[in-house]
Amino acid sequence: MQICLSVFAFGFLCLSAVSSVADTGDRVTILYDAFGERPSMKRDWGFAVLIEYHGKRILFDTGNNARTFADNIDAAGVDLRKLDFVVISHRHLDHTAGLSRLLAVNPGVTIYAPKEAFGAFGSSLPSGFYRKDESLPEPMRYYGGHPPDTMQFGTVWVGAHFELIEKTFEIAPGITILALVSETPGTKELRELSLVLRTPEGSVLVVGCSHPGIDRIVEAATAIDGHVHVIFGGFHLPSASDEQISRIAGALHETFKVDRLAPGHCTGEPAFAALRRMWGNQYIYAGVGSVIEIP
């Protein structure tokens, strides 16, 4: 069963009429964002979604505040014990703060996170990364001059089962984790993961903040599936100029011919308005609490 809800004055959005996320169906549930219409869900800057696709239940990001994340999870009826895996897009706290709540409920769940040197999710490096000087006395040398071949570095979330990702790979049939690195000043070298789900209509692309650039992410996604059907998540345009927004909108609409958009989080209000104008009734409202079917 579907309920078609009017979304402002620009079109209609078909939402699943569900009483529980245990029901069958491929869909995305917005669990954390700073805008939305559902009274039982708290609004806060951050991002988290539950993706149900081909029998898999995937949590993508965990929001900005563990308490708010927990409350929204409860309001949505999501059981964190019943996840196949978790994807964390990048290390920023508005995407990771709810990990403490997740791990309290499901400490053994596999969490795919970006691999970065000295990263917050833990890392390792060969000890050859630093130069040695054998002229120094032993007490002045790292590890007394005998470092381990591989040096292990800690994580904020001790005991979590992180799988660190540095290259794009297919994690399950039809589900690919896309890894890119930002070249943007301010977040240069930040590694970010996105999720690509292949469907008969083209791919469903789920992004966190798009620090590497939403246009670069879409271009990389088309190498996995030649056509991107719909994009969920943040486009990182909250302070972008009208000219920058127009350029990105044009690339998504004219160059990549993305059919539908469900932007949220750090996309920005002027970008929401511009994208809504360009996509018309193919623009999907995706405020916190929205439940959106995957084609």
Side-chain angles (χ1 to χ4, degrees):
M1 176 181 174
Q2 289 184 328
I3 296 177
C4 290
L5 302 177
S6 62
V7 181
F8 303 117
F10 62 87
F12 293 88
L13 169 63
C14 291
L15 302 182
S16 302
V18 296
S19 59
S20 166
V21 293
D23 297 339
T24 60
D26 293 344
R27 59 191 168 224
V28 173
T29 303
I30 312 299
L31 298 173
Y32 208 109
D33 214 321
F35 69 103
E37 297 180 303
R38 187 167 169 179
S40 62
M41 306 284 274
K42 296 181 178 179
R43 292 174 288 186
D44 184 38
W45 191 269
F47 192 61
V49 299
L50 177 71
I51 302 158
E52 297 169 276
Y53 180 69
H54 284 191
K56 300 290 186 184
R57 293 166 54 82
I58 307 161
L59 178 66
F60 186 94
D61 287 342
T62 64
N64 180 63
N65 179 282
R67 180 70 264 166
T68 299
F69 176 69
D71 289 344
N72 283 357
I73 288 290
D74 290 344
V78 173
D79 188 345
L80 293 177
R81 297 169 299 178
K82 297 178 180 178
L83 297 173
D84 289 279
F85 57 89
V86 177
V87 177
I88 298 296
S89 62
H90 63 294
R91 64 176 182 255
H92 289 166
L93 284 174
D94 54 341
H95 297 256
T96 60
L99 276 170
S100 58
R101 173 61 179 174
L102 168 69
L103 294 170
V105 175
N106 191 349
V109 68
T110 297
I111 304 169
Y112 294 96
K115 182 177 182 180
E116 298 180 304
F118 306 104
F121 308 108
S123 59
S124 61
L125 286 174
S127 59
F129 86 90
Y130 71 89
R131 294 177 60 202
K132 283 49 170 197
D133 190 330
E134 296 182 1
S135 70
L136 289 172
E138 182 178 312
M140 289 183 66
R141 301 194 65 196
Y142 300 133
Y143 302 95
H146 302 285
D149 291 336
T150 301
M151 298 169 61
Q152 301 290 337
F153 301 96
T155 173
V156 177
W157 298 278
V158 177
H161 182 201
F162 286 116
E163 295 283 345
L164 302 182
I165 306 303
E166 58 181 339
K167 295 181 180 180
T168 296
F169 81 107
E170 187 174 53
I171 190 170
I175 304 175
T176 299
I177 293 179
L178 182 64
L180 289 176
V181 180
S182 173
E183 299 175 356
T184 305
T187 59
K188 193 173 179 64
E189 299 184 356
L190 176 72
R191 190 177 298 275
E192 185 165 336
L193 305 182
S194 304
L195 204 58
V196 180
L197 315 174
R198 294 198 301 278
T199 81
E201 302 293 330
S203 63
V204 173
L205 176 61
V206 183
V207 298
C209 260
S210 302
H211 290 290
I214 185 61
D215 48 346
R216 284 187 62 214
I217 295 173
V218 171
E219 182 177 22
T222 61
I224 298 167
D225 185 317
H227 177 64
V228 173
H229 177 60
V230 61
I231 308 172
F232 290 87
F235 294 4
H236 207 256
L237 300 169
S239 59
S241 67
D242 290 344
E243 291 75 18
Q244 290 172 312
I245 293 169
S246 179
R247 180 184 65 81
I248 291 295
L252 298 180
H253 194 267
E254 304 301 329
T255 303
F256 297 109
K257 302 187 183 305
V258 177
D259 297 324
R260 310 188 74 193
L261 295 182
H265 183 43
C266 62
T267 300
E269 293 182 3
F272 287 154
L275 296 170
R276 188 181 76 171
R277 285 193 297 270
M278 184 169 286
W279 266 264
N281 61 9
Q282 297 304 304
Y283 180 101
I284 303 171
Y285 177 78
V288 64
S290 297
V291 182
I292 303 161
E293 290 187 350
I294 295 174

